[in-house]
Amino acid sequence: MKSTIKTPFLKWFFLPLVIIFTVSAGFFIYQLFIRITPRARRVITWIRNPQTHQDWSTEALSRCRESTPFLFPTAGYIGFLWDDSFRPGHRHQGIDIFTSESSGETPVYAAFDGYLTRLPDWKSSLIIRVPRDPLHPQNQIWLYYTHLADIEGKSYIVDDFPAGVSDLFVEEGTLLGFQGNFSGTIGKPVGVHLHFSIVMDDGNNTFLNELNIQNTLDPSLYFDLPLNGKTNHGVIPVCQNKDSSP
Ligand SMILES: [Zn+2]
């Protein structure tokens, strides 16, 4: 049977569509799987060989200056920053601190005095209410810690803070648990690290949804470190302005 559509018509009609589709698919795959930012490249370098980059690491329970509000909550390399992006449309709500040790070995401490809550279904997370934000004392804020469990979701949070505990006072420097690699999905681990974020209050004594960056605060001034992913271009976030020793 003879086709009623001429071949040149087919060619000029479909060719641009094929080109547009191919370019779009390529861009999508690049964004999703291939795009590696300099920061992501350094995280991979650190995970593969932390011993050669000890100078990237920050000490647990230290602070950059005497006046710095928060203690550094764990030892390691601050690999990802607040407002980094892991995929198109994503904005990271906290900082990720990677250890050089195995899952369950690196202690995590309270960065500031507050009241600890662990919801009944939280395996790897806890949140600490700080009634007076040290930078804006009229505001209440919440400090969120997560990935404190192993690949199967077995908690590394210390026994003092069982699931369901609510509004229990803890001093800064209190041991909370240990860095782990639980992603939230059993059997699909992340690199061993602590995710830490500062979450805003809803005005009714409850924390807002931590997954939305709009509900979190840039932690830079709380640690005196360049922790904003949008403005920190390539600087390893370690203390630059340490108070000089007497
Ligand atoms: Zn994170």
Side-chain angles (χ1 to χ4, degrees), residues 80-81 86 90 92-98 146-147 193-197 210:
F80 289 115
L81 309 184
F86 301 164
H90 170 261
H92 190 222
Q93 332 85 276
I95 55 172
D96 287 345
I97 307 162
F98 291 85
T146 194
H147 300 305
H193 72 281
L194 169 71
H195 170 100
F196 173 90
S197 60
E210 194 265 347

Side-chain angles (χ1 to χ4, degrees), residues 122-192:
W122 281 5
K123 299 181 173 83
S124 64
S125 311
L126 50 85
I127 197 160
I128 296 180
R129 180 174 67 85
V130 175
R132 288 161 62 87
D133 175 339
L135 298 181
H136 307 98
Q138 72 278 18
N139 295 341
Q140 173 161 277
I141 53 172
W142 300 76
L143 309 185
Y144 179 68
Y145 303 74
T146 194
H147 300 305
L148 282 72
D150 74 3
I151 183 173
E152 301 296 328
K154 184 174 171 300
S155 185
Y156 291 140
I157 296 171
V158 297
D159 294 343
D160 291 349
F161 312 123
V165 71
S166 175
D167 222 32
L168 185 69
F169 180 73
V170 290
E171 279 187 351
E172 68 171 21
T174 300
L175 177 67
L176 303 175
F178 298 85
Q179 288 192 33
N181 57 355
F182 184 56
S183 67
T185 305
I186 290 171
K188 291 196 171 174
V190 289
V192 182

Side-chain angles (χ1 to χ4, degrees), residues 42-233:
R42 279 197 296 271
V43 169
I44 293 166
T45 303
W46 166 264
I47 288 172
R48 284 182 182 157
N49 199 353
Q51 306 311 327
T52 58
H53 299 286
Q54 287 299 322
D55 54 328
W56 294 4
S57 179
T58 299
E59 216 179 300
L61 301 174
S62 67
R63 29 178 135 239
C64 286
R65 305 169 70 85
E66 215 175 297
S67 58
T68 300
F70 289 174
L71 286 175
F72 201 62
T74 191
Y77 166 51
I78 315 170
F80 289 115
L81 309 184
W82 185 80
D83 212 3
D84 266 338
S85 182
F86 301 164
R87 55 191 172 273
H90 170 261
R91 295 176 71 190
H92 190 222
Q93 332 85 276
I95 55 172
D96 287 345
I97 307 162
F98 291 85
T99 180
S100 60
E101 300 177 302
S102 302
S103 186
E105 291 185 359
T106 306
V108 173
Y109 304 96
F112 199 77
D113 287 357
Y115 297 84
L116 185 148
T117 290
R118 181 179 167 198
L119 297 186
D121 60 342
W122 281 5
K123 299 181 173 83
S124 64
S125 311
L126 50 85
I127 197 160
I128 296 180
R129 180 174 67 85
V130 175
R132 288 161 62 87
D133 175 339
L135 298 181
H136 307 98
Q138 72 278 18
N139 295 341
Q140 173 161 277
I141 53 172
W142 300 76
L143 309 185
Y144 179 68
Y145 303 74
T146 194
H147 300 305
L148 282 72
D150 74 3
I151 183 173
E152 301 296 328
K154 184 174 171 300
S155 185
Y156 291 140
I157 296 171
V158 297
D159 294 343
D160 291 349
F161 312 123
V165 71
S166 175
D167 222 32
L168 185 69
F169 180 73
V170 290
E171 279 187 351
E172 68 171 21
T174 300
L175 177 67
L176 303 175
F178 298 85
Q179 288 192 33
N181 57 355
F182 184 56
S183 67
T185 305
I186 290 171
K188 291 196 171 174
V190 289
V192 182
H193 72 281
L194 169 71
H195 170 100
F196 173 90
S197 60
I198 306 171
V199 187
M200 291 156 65
D201 192 89
D202 71 348
N204 290 306
N205 225 20
T206 305
F207 49 90
L208 290 169
N209 180 5
E210 194 265 347
L211 294 175
N212 184 346
I213 193 169
Q214 317 276 10
N215 297 332
T216 65
L217 299 173
D218 178 347
S220 301
L221 294 177
Y222 294 86
F223 289 105
D224 281 328
L225 285 167
L227 299 176
N228 185 316
K230 284 278 189 294
T231 56
N232 178 349
H233 299 290

